[in-house]
Amino acid sequence: MSEHVINPFQHIVEPLDPSDPEQKFYNLSKLGDNRYDHLPFSIRVLLESAVRNCDEFLVKYSDVESILNWKQTQNQTVEVPFRPARVILQDFTGVPAVVDFAAMRDAVMKLGGDPEKINPVCPADLVIDHSIQVDFNRKSDSLQKNQDLEFDRNKERFQFLKWGSKAFRNMRIIPPGSGIVHQVNLEYLARVVFNYDGYFYPDSLVGTDSHTTMIDGLGVLGWGVGGIEAEAVMLGQPISMILPEVVGYKLFGNPEKFITSTDIVLTVTKHLRQVGVVGKFVEFFGPGVAQLSIADRATIANMCPEYGATAAFFPVDDVSIQYLEQTGREEKKLAYITKYLKAVGMFRDYNDVSQDPDFTQVVELDLSTVVPCCSGPKRPQDRIPISDMKKDFETCLGAKQGFKGFQVPPEQHSTVVPFQFNGKEYTLSHGSVVIAAITSCTNTSNPSVMLGAGLLAKKAIKHGLSVKPYIKTSLSPGSGVVTYYLKESGVMEYLSKLGFEVVGYGCMTCIGNSGPLLEPVVEAITKGHVIAAGVLSGNRNFEGRVHPNTRANYLASPPLVIAYAIAGTMRIDFEKEPIAINPDGKEIFLRDIWPTREEIQAVERKFVIPSMFREVYEKIEKVNERWNALVAPSDSLYTWDPKSTYIKSPPFFSDLTMDLQPPKSITDAYVLLNLGDSVTTDHISPAGNIARNSPAARYLTNRGLTPRDYNSYGSRRGNDAVMARGTFANIRLFNKFLNKQAPQTIHLPSTETMDVFDAAERYQQSGVPLLILAGKEYGSGSSRDWAAKGPFLLGIKAVLAESYERIHRSNLVGMGLIPLEYLPGDTADSLGLTGRERYTITIPQQLTPRMTVDVKLDTGKTFQVRMRFDTDVELAYFHHGGILNYMIHKMSEN
């Protein structure tokens, strides 16, 4: 809050407990405004933040009024500020954030300011979970070997992060080997209600990972933002957001006894994709919510980005408090959490319809209609009932290349490729499972599905079933608590016998850190052009993400991951066909080994207990001995090592001065890439392995590295030279110029086909601006700031698309790139655009949010597009050349 400014809402401040007058809160019920009682619970959190932070500068009295007036203004473009209570990061996005902070300190000093001003002002937790890979599996020492290799590969990055934890205040690092960021957040970091500086207020956050929304399942409002936007929040800047519509999602009925939370979330994901919730909040209500555990709710909230919403909120109720108790939170905290939330009208009884707030619209789901399902083969929203899986896969085989098609000629549908492994012959065919991973916070945070997988494994072993040895099986829990209760309940040994050994505590296969497949398997896939399958309990299955050799990837519950691993193929109808023949020649069906909900709950009640959580989390910051022994510098300015291939001072601020440049039109731009729909941030800036024939590999080789030392793109995000070369380097990128999948494009002046980076470099040497053409949902997927930073470094000035994923659009704005959108009814096809034209985009000197601008082609054709700067604050960022430049200018003012 600004100095000497009295908050206009000071009159509603009162003690929560009259016996302790120093512990106060803003009592929103004392606003005396009946509009408050009708607000969705998620909007009440935004309101409380605005009331508490009202200083008539960053947050104004009129902002509070706008939020209170939500019902009338929700369909209008009303901009409001939001100051989250904290920020959460993982290491793939956290390293570039700390790199940016270090470079910003250098820039502020160069401009004559105080570099110490570049410092987080709100609590920031960074969990190292994205670095570990499945290099070793199926052996009891796999965990230790993978962790050792993680440290060997990433020591330089980890030293840099340790420097950051010393150099910046309010930044806590959770060391590698602790778990997955969102699960650690749920089980340990979440406050639910803050008690800070004499005030109680709701916990809320933004995170540099799109699945930050998982915490919404516990009643903590949070969502993913770009790393660039998160950095500004850490430096004290509120998020500027459009007051969202709120879709009420009513749950009722009881799920069948064999249904898992994964089945429910995949059903919800498909449903809400059809409803259309992009840019909106979803708030769950109805008696069905009371049937769901916090772990179930968190699973549904986790996949919020897959259905496109900004947040997926479950207000706090008695079940939330029971979960906090189960996970070992202190009784004293539970008491003030409950008391505070009831005092401000944010505590929910899902069976009390009188508490139901107003919503923009209401949609419903009867939980009794949910059936076992998977999603795939290329998108999370493409749900398939298990009973239809065989038929669906076989339809996809021959269908036209696309989200549900591989375009395999009919005569090749029955291809069988033999191969040798360990002296035995095996065969692969289309649909053969080669990766089966129990992975991701989405599901490993949920004891019911994890114990369900363990009980299924136990029954499978008792029936004499096994998993073929060439299938890459793995278990990567989101926290040490999972291993604890799997061992205590006695199911871990059966998981191990099926090949599902613990391989690490991190995201692993879910983010593409699946490690190598066996060489004979890769050769067989390549030789027969086999559409091999990965099945994982993750949240994303975009093409090229899980593994370059698995073109079909399916999201499934942990028990189903094991089931498909045992079957060895996706081309099976579990209802009609046996999952396997046991050694006695008996047909075993999935129903013979599937545990019931009652069986699972009985084990969960007995073995998932508070002492486990306390024991694991009491030592979380000290348990990694290699981290403890790591020596890092403690200077406030970072000393960059010019030889480092991991950490490099980025060029974003090298030419920055205090003078603002007027907006410039884009003249005679070439199109670098002509792309279609649903281009993901994985396509734009892959996180996985660095191909040996790529520009990034050539750069690393020239610096003396061998392929085994390349590591992944995600681990190299502290080095702009690698990341620029990795931009659009996904082998599954479909560029219309080439009419095939390849990380290449045509350099239009010479008509040469070349790697995207090489073409961009040649354009830049000629001083020519660049443009990207794209279809719908450009930038969907992970909140990846390098998907905006990379294009910026390639010389791309603007993207012209039919629509954008929310986080990616804000990242483009954050880097000073212009997100352009076709007007309704217009597309590249309807306008007759080939991408081979040259584009001049007229940018006026006076800009307003969402204004239309003129585009003129060298063919003489003209049309208009919308400039997607949605708020005045975003326009201010653009005038400064991006959000980080804006913050440097602000911090350098004397």
Side-chain angles (χ1 to χ4, degrees):
M1 200 175 287
S2 301
E3 290 181 48
H4 315 306
V5 173
I6 295 174
N7 186 315
F9 296 97
Q10 200 66 36
H11 63 284
I12 65 169
V13 173
E14 58 182 54
L16 184 62
D17 183 342
S19 66
D20 188 0
E22 296 303 307
Q23 298 291 311
K24 298 168 282 193
F25 75 112
Y26 282 81
N27 191 347
L28 300 183
S29 61
K30 294 287 177 73
L31 285 171
D33 195 318
N34 65 5
R35 289 176 296 177
Y36 178 70
D37 298 326
H38 296 278
L39 289 177
F41 283 64
S42 51
I43 299 298
R44 296 179 199 188
V45 178
L46 300 184
L47 178 71
E48 191 284 337
S49 172
V51 165
R52 179 168 36 87
N53 291 295
C54 189
D55 59 359
E56 289 300 349
F57 175 57
L58 289 172
V59 184
K60 298 181 178 176
Y61 189 95
S62 58
D63 295 321
V64 173
E65 182 59 28
S66 293
I67 299 171
L68 274 168
N69 213 30
W70 170 84
K71 190 173 181 183
Q72 279 65 46
T73 58
Q74 58 182 296
N75 294 315
Q76 301 165 23
T77 307
V78 176
E79 182 184 353
V80 294
F82 175 53
R83 295 194 73 163
R86 59 190 174 99
V87 173
I88 197 162
L89 311 98
Q90 35 88 340
D91 57 302
F92 269 17
T93 49
V95 167
V98 180
V99 166
D100 286 346
F101 280 166
M104 289 169 79
R105 277 191 171 177
D106 292 345
V108 168
M109 190 170 183
K110 184 176 155 191
L111 293 174
D114 176 8
E116 292 281 343
K117 283 187 177 178
I118 301 293
N119 203 84
V121 295
C122 70
D125 296 301
L126 192 157
V127 180
I128 300 175
D129 65 354
H130 272 52
S131 304
I132 191 164
Q133 301 183 33
V134 191
D135 289 286
F136 299 94
N137 68 313
R138 283 190 177 251
K139 297 279 173 59
S140 58
D141 61 353
S142 297
L143 171 63
Q144 191 58 53
K145 281 183 168 180
N146 287 329
Q147 288 183 335
D148 287 346
L149 202 47
E150 173 193 23
F151 226 93
D152 293 342
R153 283 178 177 140
N154 295 283
K155 184 179 177 186
E156 205 178 317
R157 296 171 66 241
F158 292 170
Q159 277 179 317
F160 177 68
L161 287 175
K162 200 156 192 183
W163 166 78
S165 69
K166 294 178 184 178
F168 299 105
R169 296 185 303 277
N170 280 328
M171 182 180 281
R172 171 170 52 176
I173 308 280
I174 305 295
S178 304
I180 302 173
V181 57
H182 308 305
Q183 191 160 339
V184 174
N185 193 18
L186 190 71
E187 295 174 354
Y188 175 62
L189 297 174
R191 283 75 154 178
V192 183
V193 169
F194 258 83
N195 179 9
Y196 182 75
D197 205 19
Y199 283 89
F200 293 102
Y201 52 92
D203 187 5
S204 61
L205 70 152
V206 290
T208 58
D209 189 283
S210 48
H211 295 103
T212 299
T213 52
M214 185 171 189
I215 203 64
D216 292 339
L218 185 56
V220 175
L221 185 64
W223 62 86
V225 295
I228 305 154
E229 198 172 359
E231 290 165 36
V233 172
M234 288 163 75
L235 295 174
Q237 190 73 5
I239 282 177
S240 171
M241 62 186 293
I242 302 297
L243 196 59
E245 296 180 20
V246 182
V247 175
Y249 199 92
K250 185 175 183 179
L251 296 174
F252 61 95
N254 290 309
E256 298 291 330
K257 65 179 181 179
F258 293 119
I259 296 302
T260 67
S261 57
T262 318
D263 301 319
I264 295 170
V265 72
L266 296 179
T267 303
V268 168
T269 298
K270 181 174 184 180
H271 185 199
L272 284 174
R273 269 285 170 193
Q274 292 167 336
V275 169
V277 292
V278 173
K280 302 174 185 178
F281 283 4
V282 174
E283 186 166 306
F284 291 84
F285 74 109
V289 177
Q291 310 292 320
L292 301 176
S293 67
I294 293 304
D296 290 342
R297 298 177 195 180
T299 299
I300 294 168
N302 177 288
M303 286 193 70
C304 174
E306 280 64 60
Y307 41 86
T310 300
F313 194 63
F314 289 83
V316 173
D317 68 342
D318 286 324
V319 176
S320 317
I321 302 302
Q322 288 160 18
Y323 175 83
L324 293 173
E325 191 175 357
Q326 182 193 33
T327 50
R329 266 68 167 214
E330 296 169 35
E331 275 185 40
K332 182 177 143 191
K333 288 183 179 175
L334 302 188
Y336 73 63
I337 288 169
T338 305
K339 188 169 186 178
Y340 169 78
L341 291 173
K342 285 184 174 177
V344 292
M346 294 189 200
F347 198 90
R348 190 77 163 93
D349 178 350
Y350 287 100
N351 291 306
D352 182 358
V353 295
S354 71
Q355 282 193 12
D356 292 353
D358 293 333
F359 293 113
T360 309
Q361 73 177 108
V362 171
V363 290
E364 299 183 345
L365 175 66
D366 179 352
L367 292 172
S368 68
T369 65
V370 176
V371 297
C373 55
C374 293
S375 279
K378 302 181 187 183
R379 294 192 304 181
Q381 63 263 41
D382 293 330
R383 184 186 71 95
I384 313 140
I386 295 306
S387 54
D388 295 343
M389 173 58 77
K390 182 177 182 179
K391 184 173 129 197
D392 188 85
F393 183 87
E394 289 172 352
T395 302
C396 289
L397 264 187
K400 185 182 171 188
Q401 181 71 40
F403 301 124
K404 294 288 284 185
F406 296 105
Q407 210 161 330
V408 175
E411 65 274 13
Q412 293 174 20
H413 286 199
S414 301
T415 295
V416 175
V417 185
F419 68 97
Q420 296 280 327
F421 174 61
N422 278 355
K424 285 190 177 179
E425 183 168 291
Y426 300 93
T427 60
L428 288 184
S429 55
H430 298 306
S432 287
V433 173
V434 295
I435 289 177
I438 298 176
T439 182
S440 169
C441 51
T442 310
N443 283 294
T444 68
S445 60
N446 195 324
S448 66
V449 291
M450 295 304 289
L451 289 167
L455 291 170
L456 183 141
K458 183 177 181 179
K459 292 185 180 193
I461 293 293
K462 300 276 191 199
H463 279 86
L465 306 186
S466 62
V467 175
K468 293 182 180 72
Y470 64 80
I471 296 176
K472 187 156 194 181
T473 47
S474 60
L475 167 57
S476 49
S479 82
V481 176
V482 179
T483 311
Y484 204 150
Y485 66 66
L486 289 177
K487 284 181 176 174
E488 290 293 308
S489 61
V491 298
M492 189 67 233
E493 65 170 294
Y494 300 102
L495 288 162
S496 299
K497 283 176 182 174
L498 286 178
F500 289 89
E501 289 280 2
V502 173
V503 294
Y505 296 97
C507 303
M508 302 188 89
T509 301
C510 188
I511 57 161
N513 285 358
S514 47
L517 293 176
L518 295 168
E519 203 53 50
V521 171
V522 174
E523 287 170 7
I525 291 170
T526 307
K527 179 182 173 185
H529 303 289
V530 173
I531 309 296
V535 57
L536 64 153
S537 64
N539 46 43
R540 292 214 167 121
N541 54 342
F542 302 130
E543 210 171 3
R545 178 185 175 97
V546 174
H547 193 282
N549 295 114
T550 58
R551 290 183 58 195
N553 295 284
Y554 291 91
L555 305 182
S557 66
L560 274 176
V561 170
I562 297 176
Y564 279 110
I566 293 168
T569 180
M570 305 307 293
R571 294 168 87 169
I572 182 171
D573 183 342
F574 282 133
E575 292 184 6
K576 297 174 184 170
E577 299 173 67
I579 188 170
I581 312 284
N582 76 1
D584 299 327
K586 185 183 175 189
E587 292 185 341
I588 307 297
F589 286 81
L590 181 57
R591 57 181 171 267
D592 298 327
I593 60 173
W594 193 271
T596 65
R597 188 179 278 259
E598 290 74 26
E599 286 177 84
I600 296 165
Q601 286 173 344
V603 177
E604 183 177 350
R605 277 193 295 272
K606 187 173 178 183
F607 292 103
V608 184
I609 53 176
S611 59
M612 286 182 177
F613 291 87
R614 278 194 287 267
E615 189 177 328
V616 168
Y617 284 113
E618 272 168 6
K619 54 192 181 187
I620 192 169
E621 290 175 57
K622 307 177 194 75
V623 76
N624 191 316
E625 290 176 12
R626 287 191 71 175
W627 175 266
N628 297 341
L630 201 59
V631 177
S634 54
D635 306 335
S636 64
L637 294 177
Y638 188 70
T639 305
W640 306 96
D641 177 0
K643 295 190 191 116
S644 174
T645 56
Y646 276 105
I647 306 297
K648 178 175 174 289
S649 181
F652 307 136
F653 318 120
S654 50
D655 299 324
L656 191 63
T657 66
M658 289 299 285
D659 301 322
L660 295 191
Q661 301 299 316
K664 289 181 184 169
S665 294
I666 299 169
T667 306
D668 284 334
Y670 276 106
V671 173
L672 181 63
L673 290 156
N674 187 0
L675 306 171
D677 294 342
S678 294
V679 171
T680 70
T681 52
D682 278 295
H683 288 118
I684 305 167
S685 183
N689 68 311
I690 297 171
R692 295 185 183 196
N693 61 348
S694 64
R698 292 195 288 275
Y699 171 85
L700 292 170
T701 301
N702 288 340
R703 272 146 192 79
L705 274 68
T706 59
R708 70 182 299 275
D709 298 318
Y710 288 168
N711 212 332
S712 64
Y713 282 114
S715 68
R716 297 269 176 196
R717 286 185 187 161
N719 185 318
D720 62 272
V722 174
M723 297 310 296
R725 287 163 175 80
T727 304
F728 296 108
N730 190 315
I731 61 170
R732 300 296 176 203
L733 180 74
F734 188 86
N735 180 3
K736 293 180 185 178
F737 284 157
L738 303 176
N739 203 28
K740 67 175 185 179
Q741 291 182 331
Q744 296 180 315
T745 194
I746 295 174
H747 177 254
L748 295 172
S750 67
T751 71
E752 284 181 60
T753 298
M754 56 180 71
D755 289 324
V756 174
F757 174 79
D758 295 337
E761 193 173 45
R762 195 181 288 189
Y763 281 122
Q764 283 186 298
Q765 286 164 356
S766 307
V768 178
L770 295 172
L771 184 70
I772 297 288
L773 293 186
K776 299 182 186 71
E777 298 175 351
Y778 181 74
S780 55
S782 302
S783 62
R784 197 161 289 176
D785 56 346
W786 268 108
K789 288 175 174 175
F792 171 85
L793 293 176
L794 295 188
I796 292 163
K797 303 299 182 188
V799 178
L800 174 55
E802 290 177 50
S803 64
Y804 292 88
E805 193 278 336
R806 174 186 61 84
I807 299 174
H808 185 62
R809 187 198 64 81
S810 74
N811 268 337
L812 292 173
V813 171
M815 283 309 297
L817 275 68
I818 305 175
L820 300 170
E821 197 168 87
Y822 293 104
L823 296 182
D826 284 353
T827 65
D829 289 342
S830 73
L831 293 168
L833 307 180
T834 66
R836 294 175 184 270
E837 311 88 351
R838 297 189 72 171
Y839 291 68
T840 294
I841 298 148
T842 305
I843 309 296
Q845 294 300 295
Q846 297 298 317
L847 301 178
T848 57
R850 298 178 68 88
M851 72 184 294
T852 55
V853 294
D854 295 321
V855 180
K856 184 174 183 181
L857 310 183
D858 60 345
T859 60
K861 184 179 182 67
T862 60
F863 58 96
Q864 287 195 314
V865 295
R866 188 170 307 287
M867 197 156 52
R868 284 293 310 276
F869 296 122
D870 289 356
T871 67
D872 287 322
V873 171
E874 288 185 348
L875 282 173
Y877 296 156
F878 177 63
H879 284 298
H880 283 261
I883 192 170
L884 300 183
N885 295 8
Y886 171 88
M887 295 306 297
I888 289 170
H889 285 144
K890 191 175 166 187
M891 300 291 180
S892 301
E893 290 168 356
N894 293 319

